[in-house]
């Protein structure tokens, strides 16, 4: 099926504009990569966020992890933007949904 | 390793207190279930949310899905609380993290 990368994180304080710019840039860049399917990101007012990106293969998500611009963003993330983060690489085994009608 | 259930959703408008009460109750109930590991939930001001729960086995998360009180909450979710939702059942294949020192 597909793969999901669950990225949960807590922002440090400050660097908001710089962070927002980079986050937007990385979202755009990710969407251009081979095997990219979708991305869902949400962060609340406390700075806690969950971002999930979906990829066709494990190779696709590994290639994105090793992308040069993305590597720089990851480094800046550790240096400045995140108090902590966790990454889970997952295989999507089943998916289903619901949508309100009318 | 472990399993993750990624629940992404958009809330309808209204029923905020009722929803918050039930969400809290379900978080507590989930945490009491066999095989429960952890849960991470975030919803932004637009009503978009991502909630990820982690379970030791596929059987554990299936048992939670079939829990009677949880089934009622799921039904109310479709009737009243969600415009749409998506559920992805995933096998966690790798996890790593970072924490700011000092």
């Amino acid at each position: 099926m597909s793969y999901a990368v669950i990225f949960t994180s807590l922002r440090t304080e400050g660097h908001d504009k710089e962070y927002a710019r980079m986050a937007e840039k990385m979202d755009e860049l990710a969407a251009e990569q081979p095997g990219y399917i979708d991305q869902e990101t949400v962060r609340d007012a406390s700075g806690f966020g969950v971002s999930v990106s979906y990829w066709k293969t494990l190779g696709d998500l590994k290639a994105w992890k090793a992308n040069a611009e993305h590597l720089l963003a990851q480094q800046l993330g550790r240096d400045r933007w995140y108090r902590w983060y966790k990454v889970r690489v997952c295989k999507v085994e089943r998916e289903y949904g619901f949508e309100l009608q009318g």
Side-chain angles (χ1 to χ4, degrees), chain A:
Chain A
M1 283 195 66
S2 59
Y3 286 82
V5 181
I6 307 170
F7 180 82
T8 49
S9 62
L10 183 64
R11 282 273 288 115
T12 51
E13 281 174 32
H15 300 293
D16 285 348
K17 279 188 189 170
E18 178 192 70
Y19 176 75
R21 258 199 312 273
M22 184 62 99
E24 192 185 342
K25 194 174 155 188
M26 285 303 115
D27 285 354
E28 289 172 6
L29 194 61
E32 293 168 5
Q33 303 307 305
Y36 171 91
I37 297 171
D38 198 8
Q39 182 153 298
E40 299 163 318
T41 299
V42 57
R43 190 172 300 280
D44 69 19
S46 78
F48 176 66
V50 180
S51 178
V52 190
S53 61
Y54 300 94
W55 300 87
K56 286 186 186 157
T57 73
L58 209 51
D60 292 327
L61 72 87
K62 282 183 182 170
W64 168 235
K65 183 168 191 270
N67 172 286
E69 285 180 81
H70 190 200
L71 282 174
L72 174 63
Q74 290 169 53
Q75 188 57 55
L76 287 168
R78 289 186 290 271
D79 291 346
R80 293 217 275 266
W81 298 326
Y82 297 117
R83 222 173 261 287
W84 59 259
Y85 63 72
K86 292 179 192 171
V87 178
R88 274 99 164 186
V89 176
C90 307
K91 186 170 195 298
V92 180
E93 305 220 321
R94 207 161 95 74
E95 60 182 290
Y96 58 92
F98 159 80
E99 192 169 355
L100 202 61
Q101 300 301 312

